């Protein structure tokens, strides 16, 4: 028993030594071994505080995550509510679109027809309504909006076109616009000028358009330039004895060789004036006529009988002169500024004769403009355009029945608005409060409506 006891004592001595060494090492660190239990308590307290802080931070993070999840959910609900709301609005609005469009189109035509009423006398309201219906019907045959046709009718009325010819005038102008690749409005203005300048009835105006169309289609030249030359010369045509068809014939020749319309028109005018001067011709002009074997007075008479033949005769005689003498005679007869127009007619004299023969033969040009118009609308684009016009005409007709209702409602709205305005003048403070309330209330209703739609979804 002594030996184990001795061994235990030795171990206790060694442990005491180790404790003394450990105490010696802890003392510099500020830890008193005697107060070790106190240090342990403080350490446990700090660990507890740290754990508490960690739990608080974890709870805060969980709140943030929950808030984010809530936000995402609200966004999702808002998106669904917006989609449902817009769908409901669209579903309720869609059936009203034709009514609104038809009414608006009917109002546009009504405004255009008001311009017609200003310049055209109608014996009865029924006659005015019939013209409106005729214009709608025409829009289904002509690739032009009904209000556009009404505008042409109004322009024709201002140009004193008789009421019974207005619809034919508008249709002819629309066809001319398509065939001549211009606007119907420009074509209508041109036709109105031709009626006055050449004293032509509507059939005569169409014949002139047919002649110009045929000449340019067969022999070249710009149809717009030829039309412009004819229109510029128009007022002097009767003075010179020239028919519109003969002016068109000369204009085509000039246009085909690139002469500008203004220069060409000036040259033809000066030629007509020179050949119709008669006894008032200048001395140099009389001498030029003599050089051609002609007499100024007799030439003026020939121009009134057969202007085309007289012009051809003069040009043929100039052509037979020696080359060095031709320029001098041309200048003496027609003036230096007309040389650019007269020279091409001399070099294209055979073509000019062909043109004169063509416009003198109705079978060669009749219906030319209408054929080109029919060819143009036979295309896919033309067919779809007419189909669109037919639908629009239906919308307008249906919309016209709503116009009285629109007027009645508008009158009631006006009365109510005027009454509210007078009340607002007398109660400015209340009016301001109401507007603020309505603004806030509108925003609240949008929010609540969106939430309601979301839950309904």
């Amino acid at each position: 028993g002594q030996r184990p006891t001795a061994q235990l004592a030795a171990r206790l001595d060694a442990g005491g030594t180790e404790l003394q060494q450990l105490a010696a090492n802890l003392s510099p660190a500020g830890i008193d071994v005697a107060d070790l239990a106190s240090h342990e308590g403080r350490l446990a307290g700090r660990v507890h505080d740290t754990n508490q802080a960690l739990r608080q931070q974890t709870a805060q993070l969980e709140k943030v995550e929950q808030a984010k999840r809530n936000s995402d959910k609200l966004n999702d609900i808002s998106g669904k509510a917006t989609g449902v709301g817009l769908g409901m609005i669209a579903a309720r609005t869609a059936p009203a679109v034709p009514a609104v469009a038809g009414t608006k189109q009917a109002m546009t035509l009504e405004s255009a027809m008001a311009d017609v009423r200003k310049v055209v006398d109608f014996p009865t309201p029924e006659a005015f309504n019939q013209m409106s219906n005729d214009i709608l019907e025409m829009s289904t045959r002509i690739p032009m909006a009904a209000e556009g046709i009404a505008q042409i009718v109004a322009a024709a009325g201002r140009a004193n076109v008789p009421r019974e010819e207005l619809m034919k005038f508008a249709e002819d102008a629309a066809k001319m616009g398509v065939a001549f690749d211009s606007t119907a409005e420009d074509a209508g203005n041109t036709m109105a000028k031709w009626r006055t300048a050449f004293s032509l009835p509507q059939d005569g105006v169409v014949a002139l358009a047919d002649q110009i169309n045929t000449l340019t289609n067969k022999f070249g030249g710009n149809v717009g330039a030829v039309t412009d030359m004819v229109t510029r010369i128009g007022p002097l045509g009767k003075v010179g004895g020239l028919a519109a068809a003969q002016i068109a014939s000369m204009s085509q020749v000039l246009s085909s060789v690139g002469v500008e319309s203004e220069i060409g028109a000036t040259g033809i005018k000066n030629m007509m004036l020179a050949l119709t001067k008669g006894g008032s011709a200048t001395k140099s002009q009389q001498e030029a006529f003599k050089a051609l074997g002609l007499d100024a007075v007799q030439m003026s008479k020939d121009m009134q009988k057969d202007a085309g033949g007289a012009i051809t005769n003069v040009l043929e005689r100039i052509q037979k002169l020696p080359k060095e003498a031709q320029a001098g005679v041309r200048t003496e007869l027609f003036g230096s500024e007309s040389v650019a127009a007269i020279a091409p007619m001399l070099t294209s004299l055979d073509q000019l004769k062909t043109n004169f023969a063509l416009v003198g033969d109705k079978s060669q040009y009749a219906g030319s403009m209408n054929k080109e118009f029919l060819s143009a609308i036979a295309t896919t684009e033309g067919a779809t355009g007419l189909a669109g016009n037919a639908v629009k005409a239906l919308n307008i007709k249906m919309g016209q029945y709503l116009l009285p209702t629109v007027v009645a409602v508008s009158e009631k709205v006006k009365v109510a608005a005027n009454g509210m305005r007078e009340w607002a003048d007398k109660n400015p403070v209340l009016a301001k409060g109401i507007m603020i309330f309505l603004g806030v209330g509108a925003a609240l209703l949008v929010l609540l409506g969106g939430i309601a739609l979301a839950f309904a979804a």
Side-chain angles (χ1 to χ4, degrees):
Q2 294 181 352
R3 187 175 179 180
T5 303
Q7 291 177 345
L8 179 61
R11 289 179 182 177
L12 288 172
D13 289 340
T17 303
E18 289 177 0
L19 285 172
Q20 289 176 355
Q21 291 176 352
L22 179 61
N25 290 332
L26 290 173
S27 294
I31 299 174
D32 187 356
V33 175
D35 198 25
L36 189 58
S38 176
H39 284 293
E40 183 181 356
R42 287 196 301 272
L43 179 59
R46 290 177 181 175
V47 170
H48 174 77
D49 293 342
T50 301
N51 287 337
Q52 183 68 20
L54 286 173
R55 282 194 296 270
Q56 291 176 348
Q57 290 178 0
T58 301
Q60 187 66 26
L61 286 174
E62 288 178 354
K63 289 182 180 179
V64 171
E65 288 297 324
Q66 183 61 40
K68 184 177 184 302
R69 287 193 295 272
N70 290 341
S71 176
D72 292 341
K73 188 174 182 179
L74 283 174
N75 286 337
D76 183 54
I77 290 173
S78 175
K80 290 180 180 179
T82 301
V84 173
L86 289 176
M88 292 170 68
I89 291 170
R92 293 182 180 180
T93 303
V97 169
V100 173
T103 304
K104 191 171 183 180
Q105 291 166 353
M107 291 169 64
T108 301
L109 178 59
E110 184 182 47
S111 296
M113 289 303 297
D115 291 336
V116 174
R117 194 194 291 271
K118 291 177 184 177
V119 294
V120 180
D121 292 327
F122 292 93
T124 63
E126 289 74 18
F128 176 76
N129 292 334
Q130 183 59 50
M131 177 166 283
S132 179
N133 290 334
D134 290 342
I135 287 174
L136 272 180
E137 188 276 331
M138 186 183 295
S139 71
T140 66
R141 296 184 289 104
I142 303 290
M144 186 176 188
E147 60 267 24
I149 297 175
Q151 290 168 0
I152 293 177
V153 171
R158 286 190 289 271
N160 297 318
V161 174
R163 181 174 59 83
E164 58 274 11
E165 294 184 32
L166 286 174
M167 293 308 299
K168 187 176 189 312
F169 181 96
E171 184 168 353
D172 292 338
K175 289 181 177 180
M176 180 176 171
V178 172
F180 283 26
D181 196 23
S182 70
T183 66
E185 183 180 2
D186 288 343
N189 289 334
T190 297
M191 282 187 165
K193 291 176 181 177
W194 288 352
R195 288 175 66 104
T196 302
F198 299 111
S199 300
L200 291 173
Q202 188 59 27
D203 287 343
V205 169
V206 172
L208 176 55
D210 283 340
Q211 290 163 343
I212 293 174
N213 196 58
T214 302
L215 287 170
T216 52
N217 282 349
K218 281 192 172 184
F219 308 123
N222 182 281
V223 67
V226 174
T227 300
D228 187 39
M229 281 189 246
V230 173
T231 305
R232 287 172 180 269
I233 298 165
L236 287 177
K238 289 185 290 185
V239 176
L242 270 174
Q246 293 166 326
I247 296 174
S249 297
M250 290 189 286
S251 298
Q252 183 279 324
V253 170
L254 298 182
S255 178
S256 67
V257 294
V259 176
E260 294 181 6
S261 59
E262 185 176 357
I263 294 174
T266 298
I268 295 173
K269 284 180 182 179
N270 289 342
M271 174 186 283
M272 287 193 300
L273 292 174
L275 298 182
T276 55
K277 275 192 172 182
S280 62
T282 65
K283 186 176 181 180
S284 60
Q285 284 178 321
Q286 290 177 359
E287 290 177 355
F289 276 121
K290 287 180 181 179
L292 295 174
L294 298 170
D295 175 72
V297 175
Q298 184 58 45
M299 176 56 62
S300 65
K301 293 178 181 179
D302 292 343
M303 283 290 291
Q304 300 304 319
K305 295 176 182 178
D306 177 13
I311 290 173
T312 301
N313 184 26
V314 171
L315 293 179
E316 284 178 338
R317 288 172 182 266
I318 294 176
Q319 201 177 48
K320 291 176 182 178
L321 292 175
K323 294 289 184 182
E324 62 276 10
Q326 289 184 18
V329 171
R330 289 200 308 264
T331 302
E332 291 296 333
L333 272 179
F334 310 120
S336 58
E337 65 177 352
S338 301
V339 172
I342 305 301
M345 280 193 276
L346 281 171
T347 56
S348 303
L349 186 54
D350 289 340
Q351 181 61 59
L352 182 59
K353 292 178 181 178
T354 299
N355 287 2
F356 283 155
L358 184 150
V359 299
D361 182 359
K362 188 175 181 179
S363 66
Q364 293 195 52
Y365 63 78
S368 171
M369 185 176 70
N370 189 55
K371 289 176 184 176
E372 188 156 337
F373 163 77
L374 292 175
S375 177
I377 65 170
T379 63
T380 302
E381 183 178 2
T384 54
L386 290 179
N389 277 7
V391 173
K392 186 175 180 180
L394 173 61
N395 284 344
I396 290 174
K397 176 53 65 177
M398 300 302 289
Q400 285 176 338
Y401 294 117
L402 289 176
L403 292 184
T405 302
V406 172
V407 172
V409 172
S410 298
E411 182 63 27
K412 291 181 179 179
V413 170
K414 183 186 74 172
V415 172
N418 287 340
M420 289 296 293
R421 177 168 51 83
E422 293 173 0
W423 178 87
D425 285 339
K426 297 175 182 177
N427 304 274
V429 176
L430 281 175
K432 179 180 178 181
I434 288 174
M435 291 307 294
I436 294 173
F437 171 78
L438 288 176
V440 175
L444 181 60
L445 286 174
V446 170
L447 175 61
L448 294 177
I451 295 174
L453 285 174
F455 282 106

